[in-house]
Amino acid sequence: MHQSVGEEKKITVLGAVSITRASISQHFPQAANLGGIRTAKRDKTPAMNFTVAMLIVFPAKKLASRACWPAGLTVALLQLCSAAHFVQAQAPAPPKPATPEWAQPGSAAHTQVAPPKDFHRPSRNFDTPIGIFEGQSDIGSAILPGSASYDTATNNYTINSAGYNVWYTRDEFRFLWKKMSGDISLAADIGFPDPNGYGDRKAVLIIRQNLEDDSKEALIGFHGLGMIQLAQRPEKGERIKDIEYRIGGRGRPGGAGPDSLVNVMARRVGIEKHGDSFALYLSLEGEPMHQFGPPIQLHIEGPFYIGIGFCSHMPDKVDTAVMSNVVLENSAGKFSEKMR
């Protein structure tokens, strides 16, 4: 019960229940005579799509008279409010959006293709600092929301995300970002806790012009089976192009025999921005980081968004990447002992 302040003091009682205005007038004619009944559809509460809010207003002077108080109204209002809570608790959860066929991951029976040209979802952005980063985003708003946590003791960022891909003309991934300008050096160790995740899932070190799903960008993608790419989306909405590296060796643990070719997972990866040049840096087995392959050229205006992220490559399934010992410097040429 709330008492409003004004020239004419009134007592208002608010209840909510699945009931029509006609039903309210039928059951509480005294209330209608006293102060009127106002109803409003509760559109902002998805779990109560058909619930009507009931506001009964009593002039304070009339309320002072016991004769004007409808018999049993207090009990009825309490019952109405209780019923509203019951309706809300019993309402079924809204269905999960359908997964488009083009977004399904590649398999022996299916080939993933680019999304339709006009397909976009606005990103969900959160100005919530985490570790060295200023904010977080679910770029492209995957069907399931992402999340992230930071452990100050271990310097580990744990990133959980669904998302069909970071590829083609638009992206879906959880992004931890910081706005910066100028030259950049960013490096991290990367691991995937679930050994059975989709092979093309990818953790990224990425520089984006903005937080839209089809932003211009340059990135290092570290895939679940070890493939590493240096990629760019040259302009907003264009298709990504890249250079890919699959590193393997023989006579290593994990092979069926001594001559089996085994994937080599890089120990540490980094991206360096020097003007309009973006280069991949690696440490394969703990050696000092070194440039790997040629750089790419792309102009991105400052300030831009730089940070780390992860995409499960499964549009409707969340997976996890752990990125540790993350170092971010506002300068190029920092891949030395400090960046190891």
Side-chain angles (χ1 to χ4, degrees):
M1 185 174 291
H2 169 72
Q3 181 170 338
S4 60
V5 178
E7 292 184 1
E8 181 181 358
K9 293 183 178 180
K10 296 181 178 181
I11 304 296
T12 63
V13 181
L14 179 64
V17 68
S18 295
I19 190 169
T20 64
R21 183 182 180 90
S23 298
I24 297 172
S25 299
Q26 176 184 352
H27 292 288
F28 302 105
Q30 302 97 326
N33 293 334
L34 281 170
I37 300 174
R38 304 175 198 153
T39 61
K41 193 171 182 179
R42 296 290 295 273
D43 294 326
K44 295 183 179 180
T45 310
M48 301 174 69
N49 288 334
F50 303 102
T51 299
V52 173
M54 184 175 74
L55 181 64
I56 304 177
V57 182
F58 301 96
K61 292 181 180 178
K62 292 186 178 181
L63 187 64
S65 172
R66 292 175 60 91
C68 294
W69 184 264
L73 182 56
T74 302
V75 174
L77 285 174
L78 290 174
Q79 290 173 339
L80 285 172
C81 294
S82 299
H85 288 295
F86 178 78
V87 169
Q88 186 172 17
Q90 296 298 317
K96 186 171 62 176
T99 302
E101 184 65 19
W102 55 261
Q104 297 289 354
S107 67
H110 176 76
T111 299
Q112 189 182 75
V113 297
K117 188 175 181 179
D118 60 349
F119 185 92
H120 295 283
R121 291 194 192 107
S123 301
R124 295 185 290 260
N125 304 312
F126 314 96
D127 293 327
T128 306
I130 178 170
I132 62 174
F133 300 106
E134 298 172 349
Q136 308 177 50
S137 297
D138 280 335
I139 299 296
S141 294
I143 291 175
L144 299 176
S147 63
S149 61
Y150 174 62
D151 187 329
T152 56
T154 61
N155 193 27
N156 286 355
Y157 294 85
T158 300
I159 307 176
N160 310 296
S161 181
Y164 91 105
N165 212 336
V166 180
W167 192 246
Y168 301 118
T169 55
R170 63 177 295 273
D171 305 329
E172 291 180 10
F173 70 106
R174 184 71 171 196
F175 184 30
L176 314 186
W177 50 261
K178 183 175 183 177
K179 292 185 74 172
M180 301 180 73
S181 298
D183 292 343
I184 297 293
S185 298
L186 172 63
D189 301 342
I190 299 173
F192 304 103
D194 180 4
N196 300 315
Y198 189 75
D200 208 28
R201 57 187 167 174
K202 58 175 69 77
V204 296
L205 310 180
I206 189 166
I207 300 171
R208 310 185 92 239
Q209 187 65 74
N210 57 52
L211 298 176
E212 297 174 4
D213 65 351
D214 60 350
S215 173
K216 176 191 286 192
E217 63 192 14
L219 66 98
I220 303 298
F222 186 80
H223 293 237
L225 294 180
M227 192 267 278
I228 301 169
Q229 62 183 151
L230 173 60
Q232 62 172 304
R233 180 174 290 121
E235 294 294 340
K236 176 180 173 65
E238 290 188 5
R239 194 178 181 115
I240 280 183
K241 58 183 182 180
D242 72 353
I243 305 172
E244 300 177 357
Y245 303 97
R246 292 167 175 84
I247 305 169
R250 303 183 192 276
R252 305 174 67 90
D259 295 325
S260 299
L261 182 63
V262 178
N263 289 339
V264 174
M265 304 288 286
R267 186 79 57 85
R268 188 164 176 80
V269 298
I271 187 170
E272 178 185 81
K273 176 186 181 295
H274 188 189
D276 291 343
S277 178
F278 295 83
L280 163 66
Y281 278 76
L282 291 182
S283 172
L284 290 176
E285 296 185 314
E287 76 278 9
M289 296 191 74
H290 49 89
Q291 186 171 336
F292 200 90
I296 59 174
Q297 301 297 315
L298 180 68
H299 179 71
I300 295 182
E301 294 285 347
F304 43 76
Y305 294 83
I306 180 167
I308 59 177
F310 173 66
C311 165
S312 72
H313 207 289
M314 305 284 285
D316 54 359
K317 181 179 179 181
V318 173
D319 196 0
T320 300
V322 176
M323 306 179 75
S324 58
N325 302 314
V326 177
V327 179
L328 174 59
E329 295 283 340
N330 206 166
S331 176
K334 293 294 184 180
F335 288 100
S336 60
E337 294 296 315
K338 182 177 180 181
M339 301 295 284
R340 290 173 65 176

